[in-house]
Amino acid sequence: MRNVYKIGFIFFSLILMITTFKTLAFNGPIIHDSLPAESQNFLLKSSYFTHPLNSLVYEQPKIDLSRYEVLLENDQLKVYIDNESLALRILNKETQYIWMSDLDNIEDERLNKDWVDFVRSAVSFSYLNNKDVVKYDSILASIRDINIKKTTTPNKAHFDLDFTYPKIKMSLEIELLGNSLSVKIPNESIIEYGDKRLFKLELYPFLGATKNDEIPGYTFIPDGSGALVRFQKNNIMKSSFKTRFFGNDVYINQINNDILPFNLPVYGMVHGHNQNAIFTEVKRGAEFGEFIMQFAGNTTDFNFNYVDFIFREKYFQRLIDNQGITNITEDRYLYDIEIKHHFLSNENANYIGMAQTYQESLFENEDTIKSDGTDIPMHLDIIAGNSYKSILFQKFVKMTTLDEVLEIRKQLNENNINQLLFTYQGYNKGGLSKINVTNYEFDRRLKDEDNLRKLDNFYLYYQPVLVHKEEADKSDLLKKISRQYVLSNHFYYNDNLSVLNGIGEALDYATDINSNIVLDGASHLLYSDLGNNITREEMINRINDKIVDDIPMYTPSSYLLNKTSDYLNIPNSSNEYLFITDSVPFIQTALRGYVDYYSQNINNSGNRSVDILRNIEYGTYPSFLVSNKSSYYLKNDIFSDIFGIEYDLYRDLIIDDYHYVNNALKYVIGSEIINHDVVSDGLVVVSYDNGVKIIVNYNQQEMNYSENLIKGKDYIVVGGQYE
């Protein structure tokens, strides 16, 4: 018996020691401030940064137009067409550069007949025969089995295409719009009049293609903040890169956690920096589109990009254990396709010019931001409460009450931080770990209507899509087409009707208590729910209908940017895949002046000093995740990446970081980025439309630029009111 007591005492002592250690571990802020010098130099060479661009002038060889005739023309562009393949060659009148949808002297290239047909044809597609076998077709492949009827008006051409062997009809429309070319296939024009079924379709897949590294330039893709892939003779990638716009449809496909989704349906190519560029927007059909990037040295000698438009899906139907069969959805997706190609010239022919073009498209009828003051805003993500399992029962911890939020605001105001955006996570019943689509009302232990009325710019965190498996209500869960629940990293997905109803109810509840919500999950996770007759396109329409007034959102996709008041958790780099050469501030440039955007939480950064400089370089406002209690009380596994949040420990750091960023960005509030010039690795000059330039030096040593000395790991502000 004494031994039992002794073992019990030892066990109790160990528990006490572990608890004491965890508590003491947070007696000071956890700061990952910088890297060793060797690691820092390696980082500066990595794709986390933008590198100096090749300024070599590209002289285009003479292009053969002998078999092409003029199709359309305006003051900016002249479009030629090959009437056999409907291939295009587009003359940019400002630069006299000719863009080709096919290849000049194609007979000299290492391409077989199938590739030649694919390259030259305006339309290529795959279809399913009556045995569900995938077959391929194109305009040239069907040259003996296609009827083409052309009609033209001054700025528009219309082609009725009848592929008589697979018995599929469609119309191709090409329209000139200033310096842009719109290519469409209307849904109502697609007719399957036999037993063949349309599967996937591509439009002008080789438009802008380059051979190896013969043209100095790069492909732009909307990965993270934005990414460049410079043209190379033999890219490290030996296969194509594919990703669905807005991510995989989890109702149909497996979740792909290896590749993060493209939340913006755009891409582009530069042929000679500041010479010629093509920027492509998928205006309609992006939710059914898969972006494909092919690299020189992989199958062909060419770099090219295109979109596969999907009309039917393959999916795995499990039968027993992990055995099953591949099925194909029966009904065709009904949607319009529209791609808009913008042809950019000279100083606009770069990734900043692309971002400015996209900005005009996104905010065509909207006003720029009107500043409320002379200082930038700051976002505080506050954890209100959480529940965790103790030895016998669930324990709830009030981590930050509304009274404590008011005290935090008071302290920050006393330190000249007055423009504050608050988001309140875990205010709901049971706190942060109990978040679910129907759990949007205040936990009674946190509710304080008097103090809530005292808080402005204060938003209740609502995330209706993902629910931890221990909190799931099966009546709300999404069942994919294979009739299985969708589970990813301990989280289930809720079905679309539950999500839509939840958003409406959460907005109504917030209004009733004189507050509002900040939206996560549904702001960027897009999937169909065909069991409830909701396609991805329909979900986009319905969620836009639910959100009447602009609200803050976490990483919203393009289809919700027009409903976003504040963009939270904006990426500060690309995802640095092996083939990416540079990260660029594309999304930041597109939003600047129209939507305030905020960083990921600085106090949980792995390299704080670099990330703060990145905020300054990209014009990003700072964000911090805080609580009045330690992260020790976030004992659930799902919070393992949160390690330093206690406000009292981080208060001085927050104040210092804010003022450091504010002393740069307060001079460009409401201004737009017009240039992003990398002088050398780690030395960047960002120019704004009000004349201000911010020069950022990531190097350890001081650097000179235009008679200005910039200290190591620091910045200076010049121009504008300084001159």
Side-chain angles (χ1 to χ4, degrees):
M1 181 64 73
R2 290 180 64 187
N3 287 338
V4 171
Y5 284 128
K6 188 173 182 180
I7 292 170
F9 176 77
I10 292 171
F11 178 78
F12 176 79
S13 299
L14 284 170
I15 294 295
L16 183 63
M17 287 171 64
I18 292 169
T19 303
T20 303
F21 173 78
K22 282 191 171 185
T23 303
L24 290 175
F26 294 97
N27 280 345
I30 301 172
I31 303 172
H32 301 281
D33 204 25
S34 61
L35 297 171
E38 288 185 7
S39 298
Q40 181 72 19
N41 291 334
F42 178 79
L43 180 65
L44 288 175
K45 299 289 185 182
S46 75
S47 58
Y48 180 82
F49 291 92
T50 318
H51 304 289
L53 289 162
N54 189 338
S55 59
L56 181 68
V57 175
Y58 174 65
E59 297 290 345
Q60 187 177 46
K62 183 176 176 60
I63 302 300
D64 180 15
L65 295 172
S66 59
R67 72 167 186 265
Y68 294 79
E69 66 178 40
V70 176
L71 178 69
L72 302 168
E73 185 174 6
N74 64 13
D75 292 340
Q76 291 84 31
L77 302 173
K78 189 173 186 178
V79 181
Y80 299 83
I81 191 166
D82 169 16
N83 284 316
E84 182 183 50
S85 65
L86 304 189
L88 300 178
R89 298 198 169 178
I90 302 113
L91 171 67
N92 180 337
K93 292 184 177 181
E94 182 177 352
T95 62
Q96 293 298 299
Y97 192 81
I98 296 176
W99 291 90
M100 298 180 288
S101 74
D102 58 354
L103 299 173
D104 218 28
N105 303 314
I106 194 170
E107 62 278 0
D108 297 333
E109 304 298 343
R110 297 186 301 114
L111 298 171
N112 63 26
K113 182 183 182 304
D114 290 340
W115 269 107
V116 170
D117 290 348
F118 180 72
V119 169
R120 291 185 58 203
S121 295
V123 178
S124 299
F125 61 93
S126 55
Y127 62 88
L128 301 155
N129 67 14
N130 54 12
K131 295 182 179 180
D132 283 346
V133 176
V134 177
K135 300 290 185 178
Y136 298 90
D137 211 340
S138 65
I139 289 177
L140 281 184
S142 288
I143 196 65
R144 296 176 183 172
D145 302 296
I146 186 172
N147 296 318
I148 302 176
K149 181 181 178 182
K150 179 174 77 172
T151 56
T152 60
T153 58
N155 287 312
K156 191 173 183 179
H158 181 102
F159 301 87
D160 290 320
L161 310 177
D162 184 358
F163 296 86
T164 58
Y165 176 74
K167 292 182 169 57
I168 296 174
K169 292 181 179 181
M170 65 188 72
S171 296
L172 174 68
E173 296 179 358
I174 301 172
E175 185 176 8
L176 268 182
L177 301 164
N179 71 331
S180 304
L181 188 73
S182 172
V183 181
K184 302 177 184 178
I185 292 189
N187 169 61
E188 65 269 15
S189 75
I190 301 174
I191 300 172
E192 301 163 322
Y193 61 96
D195 60 359
K196 313 296 192 296
R197 293 166 294 150
L198 187 60
F199 187 45
K200 297 180 181 180
L201 182 147
E202 302 86 32
L203 295 173
Y204 294 112
F206 257 65
L207 181 58
T210 65
K211 186 175 182 180
N212 296 320
D213 56 357
E214 290 181 1
I215 297 177
Y218 52 81
T219 293
F220 159 77
I221 56 174
D223 174 68
S225 64
L228 307 184
V229 183
R230 302 193 187 208
F231 300 145
Q232 300 174 31
K233 186 172 184 179
N234 288 296
N235 194 287
I236 192 171
M237 292 289 287
K238 299 306 176 186
S239 62
S240 60
F241 171 78
K242 301 180 180 181
T243 186
R244 289 284 292 268
F245 291 120
F246 315 129
N248 273 2
D249 184 347
V250 299
Y251 177 81
I252 301 283
N253 307 114
Q254 295 293 323
I255 297 168
N256 186 351
N257 291 317
D258 295 328
I259 298 177
L260 296 176
F262 285 3
N263 287 341
L264 308 175
V266 298
Y267 57 97
M269 297 185 91
V270 166
H271 290 192
H273 183 64
N274 287 346
Q275 296 172 60
N276 289 280
I278 181 172
F279 174 63
T280 300
E281 288 183 82
V282 184
K283 302 288 284 186
R284 304 197 69 177
E287 54 272 35
F288 304 101
E290 181 175 53
F291 174 78
I292 298 177
M293 179 164 53
Q294 296 278 8
F295 307 92
N298 166 34
T299 309
T300 75
D301 296 328
F302 296 92
N303 307 287
F304 60 101
N305 319 294
Y306 62 97
V307 177
D308 245 352
F309 289 99
I310 298 167
F311 288 92
R312 288 178 171 88
E313 307 255 18
K314 285 187 176 182
Y315 66 94
F316 180 76
Q317 178 67 61
R318 182 180 295 177
L319 299 177
I320 186 170
D321 296 328
N322 288 321
Q323 303 300 310
I325 59 173
T326 298
N327 277 344
I328 298 168
T329 55
E330 181 62 30
D331 296 331
R332 173 169 60 87
Y333 291 137
L334 306 178
Y335 64 95
D336 297 323
I337 294 173
E338 181 182 359
I339 298 177
K340 192 173 184 181
H341 302 290
H342 305 268
F343 298 93
L344 310 180
S345 310
N346 301 322
E347 67 275 3
N348 294 317
N350 50 60
Y351 56 87
I352 294 296
M354 294 181 188
Q356 291 171 326
T357 301
Y358 193 47
Q359 182 184 74
E360 292 172 5
S361 176
L362 287 172
F363 306 112
E364 184 177 6
N365 299 313
E366 297 190 26
D367 295 327
T368 54
I369 294 170
K370 306 301 181 189
S371 173
D372 293 330
T374 57
D375 294 311
I376 66 171
M378 181 176 79
H379 171 220
L380 277 187
D381 219 347
I382 298 176
I383 297 178
N386 188 46
S387 295
Y388 62 89
K389 286 183 180 179
S390 63
I391 296 175
L392 298 176
F393 49 81
Q394 286 268 329
K395 186 172 182 180
F396 178 77
V397 179
K398 292 194 288 186
M399 299 192 68
T400 318
T401 65
L402 291 176
D403 192 53
E404 290 166 339
V405 174
L406 286 168
E407 178 59 27
I408 290 172
R409 185 181 72 175
K410 178 175 176 289
Q411 291 180 15
L412 294 174
N413 289 167
E414 289 170 349
N415 284 276
N416 298 316
I417 303 177
N418 299 302
Q419 306 291 329
L420 290 164
L421 170 66
F422 294 100
T423 52
Y424 202 44
Q425 296 197 38
Y427 71 92
N428 50 279
K429 295 174 184 177
L432 199 57
S433 62
K434 304 292 183 182
I435 285 175
N436 197 357
V437 62
T438 57
N439 190 4
Y440 49 77
E441 295 187 6
F442 257 100
D443 190 292
R444 59 179 175 77
R445 292 159 289 192
L446 289 167
K447 191 172 184 180
D448 184 345
E449 292 188 11
D450 289 339
N451 280 331
L452 185 61
R453 281 191 288 270
K454 297 175 185 176
L455 287 161
D456 54 359
N457 223 19
F458 185 85
Y459 297 87
L460 306 177
Y461 178 85
Y462 184 60
Q463 191 283 102
V465 171
L466 300 176
V467 55
H468 193 268
K469 60 183 180 181
E470 294 181 1
E471 307 300 325
D473 181 344
K474 287 190 175 181
S475 65
D476 293 323
L477 297 185
L478 176 71
K479 273 191 175 180
K480 61 194 304 182
I481 194 169
S482 60
R483 307 309 299 159
Q484 298 166 289
Y485 293 113
V486 183
L487 180 65
S488 173
N489 295 331
H490 309 293
F491 286 90
Y492 284 108
Y493 282 68
N494 287 314
D495 68 49
N496 283 355
L497 285 181
S498 297
V499 170
L500 290 166
N501 291 335
I503 291 172
E505 292 167 4
L507 284 165
D508 289 343
Y509 172 75
T511 299
D512 289 343
I513 60 173
N514 297 310
S515 188
N516 209 334
I517 67 167
V518 53
L519 187 64
D520 196 1
S523 55
H524 56 272
L525 294 173
L526 180 66
Y527 48 93
S528 61
D529 187 355
L530 300 184
N532 287 313
N533 297 315
I534 301 175
T535 64
R536 301 222 293 183
E537 182 180 38
E538 177 66 16
M539 187 61 179
I540 289 173
N541 294 334
R542 291 201 193 187
I543 199 170
N544 269 280
D545 290 341
K546 285 286 182 184
I547 302 170
V548 178
D549 299 318
D550 293 0
I551 57 174
M553 298 191 200
Y554 289 84
T555 56
S557 291
S558 61
Y559 52 83
L560 281 175
L561 287 176
N562 64 325
K563 297 293 180 75
T564 302
S565 63
D566 300 89
Y567 188 123
L568 307 180
N569 218 32
I570 198 165
N572 67 353
S573 73
S574 71
N575 291 300
E576 300 180 76
Y577 302 130
L578 282 175
F579 58 86
I580 288 174
T581 55
D582 308 70
S583 296
V584 296
F586 177 86
I587 180 62
Q588 287 83 355
T589 302
L591 295 179
R592 199 108 210 344
Y594 289 88
V595 177
D596 284 341
Y597 50 91
Y598 298 81
S599 69
Q600 298 165 1
N601 299 314
I602 293 174
N603 50 312
N604 281 287
S605 166
N607 191 351
R608 174 178 150 270
S609 60
V610 169
D611 285 345
I612 290 173
L613 286 176
R614 176 55 54 88
N615 281 7
I616 293 167
E617 179 192 354
Y618 281 15
T620 306
Y621 299 143
S623 178
F624 300 89
L625 176 66
V626 298
S627 168
N628 216 47
K629 284 190 168 58
S630 162
S631 58
Y632 167 76
Y633 296 102
L634 300 177
K635 296 186 178 184
N636 318 64
D637 291 341
I638 55 177
F639 306 124
S640 59
D641 58 339
I642 299 175
F643 46 80
I645 58 173
E646 195 168 350
Y647 171 75
D648 284 343
L649 298 181
Y650 284 88
R651 178 180 56 228
D652 292 343
L653 193 74
I654 290 169
I655 292 168
D656 290 346
D657 286 352
Y658 168 82
H659 285 296
Y660 185 73
V661 176
N662 183 54
N663 285 337
L665 299 186
K666 66 182 179 181
Y667 299 108
V668 293
I669 295 173
S671 298
E672 299 175 28
I673 295 172
I674 59 171
N675 197 24
H676 182 256
D677 180 29
V678 181
V679 180
S680 61
D681 280 338
L683 185 63
V684 187
V685 181
V686 186
S687 303
Y688 288 82
D689 63 356
N690 65 349
V692 169
K693 292 183 179 181
I694 299 176
I695 307 171
V696 180
N697 180 18
Y698 290 94
N699 295 277
Q700 301 280 8
Q701 69 276 17
E702 62 185 25
M703 302 285 285
N704 280 291
Y705 172 75
S706 188
E707 300 182 355
N708 294 291
L709 183 67
I710 308 100
K711 295 178 182 177
K713 305 294 282 293
D714 205 353
Y715 70 87
I716 63 171
V717 181
V718 299
Q721 62 183 322
Y722 289 95
E723 293 184 342

